Amino acid sequence: MGNTDSRYPPPAAPPGPAPVDLAARVDAFTADFFPSGRYTVPGAAQRRAVADGVLGALDGRTGEAERALARAGYRITGFTEAVTGRPVTEIAETGATASDDGGTGDGRGWGRVYLDRSARPAWSVQVPHPASDVRTEALGVELFRAVPGGVLVLAGAHRRAGADGSSDVAHRSDTVFAAVVEALTLRGLPGIQLHGFGAASLPGRDAVVSSGAGRPGPAAELTAAGLGGAGLVVRRAWREPGARLAGATNVAGLFAAGLGVPWLHVELAYGVRADPARRAAVARVLAATVRGWDADQQGRRRRSIT
């Protein structure tokens, strides 16, 4: 018979791991991204191993995922995200400079992936130029938090860190970033890729929205209208042939266009990215775009069943 005397309360359960603030973790990771930083070009087998590991983790095949990732020097870490309370999986390098608190860099500059495990994987947000396109990484986190079922793909080095442009993952297909994004696109996951520009590059504009090499669809119009409604001056790239900052040569956009998978290229002025309130407004608009994609996917699944 158990002792119910209040003088002898049962021992307290051991505390679980503390929740992780993803924004702080990403800030720590990208804190030392400079043009003088380190970047090593991955081999084809390493790129494939990371992509296979990400897909395995998405499918819940954890053992397979861990074995694939280990071949490329990657690991899986799970935690509860502090702001959303949702379970998140981090896929990151196990390099000598990787640390338990998320910073500073991972050694070879290949990048990280975060999976929201609270819902079926349905979409991705891609950040190819963290730190160099200032605060696009922060916007990526805000959007990832806004809609369950997201995959956040982060480049692992400054865009000018590698020789001959090798670390500019938006324009190179021989990167871990490209391998992961292509694997997600082959699964049919639509994506939003975030970029930034300086005021001198496009005076008088706050944002450029495009579908890259693809044809603009309802999501592009919805996004441009939403950003305009949030007070931004928006260029719709499909209305201006040859427009700058349209992402027409972006490798992820080219790949998505070839498969007919929805993909958006969103360029934002520094003044928008650096202002927390304006950045939050952009995140809300992009979240509405993602929810529209999810509604379309659910509708297609229902029609295929009936």
Side-chain angles (χ1 to χ4, degrees):
M1 198 174 190
N3 190 336
T4 59
D5 192 323
S6 61
R7 292 174 297 173
Y8 304 99
V20 171
D21 182 331
L22 182 58
R25 193 170 181 89
V26 168
D27 282 348
F29 171 55
T30 60
D32 65 347
F33 283 16
F34 299 109
S36 59
R38 185 175 5 174
Y39 181 75
T40 303
V41 178
Q46 293 164 316
R47 300 194 301 268
R48 184 70 261 161
V50 178
D52 287 346
V54 169
L55 294 181
L58 282 177
D59 294 341
R61 296 179 280 112
T62 305
E64 283 183 41
E66 289 176 334
R67 288 190 290 274
L69 292 166
R71 293 197 296 272
Y74 269 70
R75 65 167 186 234
I76 292 178
T77 303
F79 56 81
T80 298
E81 206 285 311
V83 172
T84 62
R86 298 199 295 256
V88 170
T89 293
E90 176 187 77
I91 295 173
E93 290 186 67
T94 55
T97 60
S99 62
D100 290 340
D101 67 358
T104 52
D106 281 343
R108 298 169 298 184
W110 292 355
R112 292 184 177 184
V113 182
Y114 291 93
L115 316 176
D116 182 306
R117 306 317 305 268
S118 69
R120 174 187 54 81
W123 63 281
S124 75
V125 52
Q126 306 156 18
V127 185
H129 301 144
S132 54
D133 285 0
V134 176
R135 304 311 282 159
T136 51
E137 66 278 5
L139 177 57
V141 171
E142 291 180 51
L143 180 54
F144 178 78
R145 284 171 167 168
V147 187
V151 182
L152 170 60
V153 188
L154 282 169
H158 193 282
R159 68 185 298 177
R160 291 191 291 276
D164 300 319
S166 58
S167 62
D168 183 358
V169 301
H171 299 100
R172 296 281 295 234
S173 58
D174 58 346
T175 66
V176 166
F177 184 95
V180 170
V181 169
E182 288 178 6
L184 298 174
T185 305
L186 283 166
R187 285 286 183 95
L189 270 63
I192 294 178
Q193 193 168 115
L194 304 175
H195 291 262
F197 64 92
S201 298
L202 198 63
R205 302 293 179 100
D206 297 313
V208 181
V209 177
S210 78
S211 297
R215 299 179 62 184
E221 287 284 4
L222 174 69
T223 301
L227 293 175
L232 276 66
V233 180
V234 182
R235 166 181 275 180
R236 292 162 171 80
W238 57 92
R239 295 185 182 175
E240 302 178 43
R244 298 184 62 223
L245 307 174
T249 60
N250 186 290
V251 295
L254 288 164
F255 192 81
L259 295 175
V261 174
W263 185 86
L264 285 181
H265 184 276
V266 179
E267 290 265 5
L268 297 164
Y270 173 78
V272 175
R273 291 174 279 124
D275 183 322
R278 300 183 83 191
R279 197 170 62 235
V282 171
R284 288 191 292 270
V285 171
L286 299 182
T289 298
V290 171
R291 293 189 189 99
W293 278 335
D294 191 49
D296 289 344
Q297 290 176 330
Q298 292 181 25
R300 284 195 294 271
R301 282 196 295 273
R302 284 194 295 269
R303 288 192 292 273
S304 68
I305 292 170
T306 57

